[in-house]
Amino acid sequence: MYRSGTRRATVLTVIALAAAGLAACGSGSKEQAQSGPVSLTWWGWNAFNSTQAIKDFQAANPQVKVTYKQYAYNDYVTALRPGLSSDKGPDVFQVQPGDLTTNFGPLAVPVEDRAAKDLGKDWASKFNPEGLSQLQLDKKQVALPAYMSAAGLIYYNKKILDQYGLGVPADFEQWKKVCATLKTHNVKCLAHGAKDAWVNTDVYLSLINSIAPGKVYDAIQGKTSWTDHEFVQAMSAWKDLFTSGIIPAGATAATEYPDAQTTFLSDQAAFIALGTWNTPATMTKTGQVDAQKTVTKKIDGLFLSTPFPAPVTGGEPTKLFGGPDNGFAVSAKSSKQDAAFKFLEFLTAGDGQKIQAAGGNIPAVTSVKVATTDVINPAQVADIQGQQQSLTELIGARQIPYSDLTTALGDALSAVAAGTSSPEDALKKVESASKAVSR
């Protein structure tokens, strides 16, 4: 994973050269003097409102031209390593916590020195702490967060619940009663794309963080066993979602996007398990315009969120878990690091944060409040504000930073959902994979 001393020396050399040879973009830097206007390449898979970000940045920095190249996620991961290892790759690139930071962080320039120079010595205090910590590698800040997100929520269509006189469930016992009533009216309960390992993992983390808050993070670090009673209890609750009818038949062949989301937005299901990133699409007028392009039926539900119900009757639902949805880094191979850092700081500490907030995303800079002026219904204002507050009280991360363990847990959840493995046997395989992880 490129953690060698040689790689570290190379990165430090790049930083030294950048500091010694480059000045700020707007002050007639050596970089500009030699080459005139600077052209930056920016790579990502879902950079929010990239067109607006580029427009605003270039208006303030007319000597810099930014070109954004968007990939499908899997194509991005495939293209990134050869891109970052050559002179033809991105100057600024997108990452997320977990594997991408672990694998590609060594190919980025740590930001501490530049951030202290440009943003002040207290620069780190401006950010949500989890937004920074999950984008660190070997105690170096290899990227800065774009915006924050968390899972551990279900979104519900209040219009449907009100139509049938139903309340919002706080635990599985209540949820099963709600689902039984919905079924009599031919409405599905929890739309879920169990074909996708990532959303299955989100749900399992919701369950285990309700049953044994925070214990899963010890298991991820190899400090406790995945076969402990609490993990089996959570996996049994996962199975119960399918056997009890909370998740309808056919979910194992469905994807979360677009299958489950379309079912939810089309009033065919009352609930969906997603995170705060779903708020713009369901609670803002602008977001719903975009969402409508993916759905034939007119979207007219009233969508709100609540913590994922507790599997134990009377238990506490999970606290949210997450961190930076994604972030941006400067390539150590970039020959335009002065301009690249200026753009990075615009996205993550400057007006780019206002763009995120205006679109309903929760900014990584804590002083910037998410906008609520575009909500569809006033009831959604308190919901959105509550999400932003909850992101300062996260119980832990959403991503597992070890790819083999991530895969093993995803496989286990798929097997239990399909009925081909017991919770106990599935978790034995997860524990075997955990023991093989090099931490």
Side-chain angles (χ1 to χ4, degrees):
M1 292 184 287
Y2 295 94
R3 292 189 178 182
S4 69
T6 300
R7 172 60 63 183
R8 286 284 172 251
T10 300
V11 171
L12 291 173
T13 299
V14 170
I15 297 172
L17 289 172
L22 300 174
C25 275
S27 60
S29 70
K30 181 178 179 181
E31 181 178 280
Q32 290 184 19
Q34 289 180 345
S35 57
V38 178
S39 294
L40 292 179
T41 56
W42 176 27
W43 285 14
W45 70 92
N46 72 340
F48 175 77
N49 211 339
S50 58
T51 300
Q52 185 67 46
I54 291 173
K55 179 181 177 181
D56 290 358
F57 176 76
Q58 290 182 163
N61 299 273
Q63 289 298 307
V64 183
K65 178 183 178 182
V66 180
T67 301
Y68 177 59
K69 185 171 184 179
Q70 181 165 338
Y71 290 83
Y73 181 81
N74 289 337
D75 294 338
Y76 178 76
V77 175
T78 299
L80 193 54
R81 184 170 299 283
L84 292 174
S85 300
S86 74
D87 296 326
K88 298 181 180 179
D91 299 292
V92 177
F93 63 99
Q94 189 171 20
V95 295
Q96 64 183 179
D99 283 349
L100 288 190
T101 295
T102 300
N103 292 331
F104 301 111
L107 302 179
V109 181
V111 306
E112 289 90 342
D113 290 346
R114 181 68 187 231
K117 176 184 175 184
D118 294 348
L119 306 177
K121 293 182 179 179
D122 64 341
W123 67 271
S125 67
K126 303 177 190 296
F127 291 88
N128 184 308
E130 287 292 328
L132 295 180
S133 64
Q134 294 182 34
L135 295 174
Q136 292 173 357
L137 188 64
D138 295 339
K139 299 182 179 180
K140 291 289 187 180
Q141 193 72 48
V142 295
L144 291 177
Y147 66 94
M148 303 296 292
S149 70
L153 295 170
I154 55 171
Y155 285 73
Y156 61 94
N157 188 334
K158 191 174 187 298
K159 185 187 77 171
I160 292 176
L161 297 186
D162 287 350
Q163 182 177 354
Y164 303 117
L166 300 170
V168 179
D171 60 36
F172 272 29
E173 181 180 10
Q174 296 174 11
W175 209 0
K176 290 173 184 178
K177 292 177 181 177
V178 169
C179 293
T181 300
L182 291 171
K183 186 175 181 180
T184 66
H185 297 283
N186 296 316
V187 177
K188 296 177 181 178
C189 195
L190 177 66
H192 187 76
K195 190 175 181 180
D196 292 332
W198 66 266
V199 71
N200 295 342
T201 300
D202 278 350
V203 171
Y204 184 76
L205 290 176
S206 298
L207 299 172
I208 187 61
N209 273 326
S210 172
I211 292 168
K215 186 171 181 178
V216 68
Y217 302 106
D218 289 336
I220 289 169
Q221 295 303 325
K223 297 176 181 178
T224 194
S225 174
W226 288 87
T227 60
D228 284 359
H229 169 71
E230 297 93 338
F231 295 97
V232 176
Q233 187 180 5
M235 189 63 81
S236 297
W238 165 252
K239 178 180 179 180
D240 189 31
L241 288 170
F242 293 85
T243 57
S244 70
I246 292 176
I247 294 177
T252 55
T255 61
E256 193 73 357
Y257 295 104
D259 298 339
Q261 179 77 326
T262 298
T263 299
F264 178 65
L265 294 176
S266 300
D267 295 347
Q268 298 175 52
F271 304 95
I272 192 169
L274 286 171
T276 58
W277 62 89
N278 191 50
T279 294
T282 54
M283 297 192 198
T284 71
K285 297 170 187 175
T286 303
Q288 248 186 45
V289 168
D290 290 335
Q292 187 65 70
K293 298 173 185 176
T294 68
V295 180
T296 302
K297 180 187 178 298
K298 178 177 173 55
I299 300 174
D300 58 3
L302 173 55
F303 304 112
L304 295 165
S305 72
T306 193
F308 198 97
V312 177
T313 301
E316 288 291 324
T318 182
K319 284 190 174 182
L320 299 194
F321 49 92
D325 184 274
N326 63 83
F328 299 107
V330 171
S331 170
K333 277 282 190 178
S334 173
S335 62
K336 307 161 188 174
Q337 289 178 13
D338 187 51
F341 268 108
K342 195 158 192 172
F343 183 53
L344 172 74
E345 290 162 359
F346 169 86
L347 293 172
T348 60
D351 285 349
Q353 290 293 284
K354 296 177 182 178
I355 294 173
Q356 298 287 357
N361 287 328
I362 297 174
V365 172
T366 55
S367 63
V368 182
K369 301 304 179 184
V370 63
T372 56
T373 55
D374 193 37
V375 296
I376 296 164
N377 186 285
Q380 294 164 327
V381 173
D383 194 328
I384 292 170
Q385 291 173 342
Q387 289 181 13
Q388 185 162 26
Q389 175 60 34
S390 294
L391 275 160
T392 67
E393 304 165 350
L394 297 171
I395 193 169
R398 181 171 166 240
Q399 280 86 5
I400 297 172
Y402 309 109
S403 58
D404 290 346
L405 182 55
T406 300
T407 299
L409 181 58
D411 290 346
L413 291 165
S414 294
V416 171
T420 59
S421 177
S422 68
E424 293 83 357
D425 288 344
L427 285 167
K428 287 178 183 177
K429 293 182 179 180
V430 177
E431 176 61 14
S432 294
S434 180
K435 288 180 176 178
V437 169
S438 177
R439 296 178 173 88

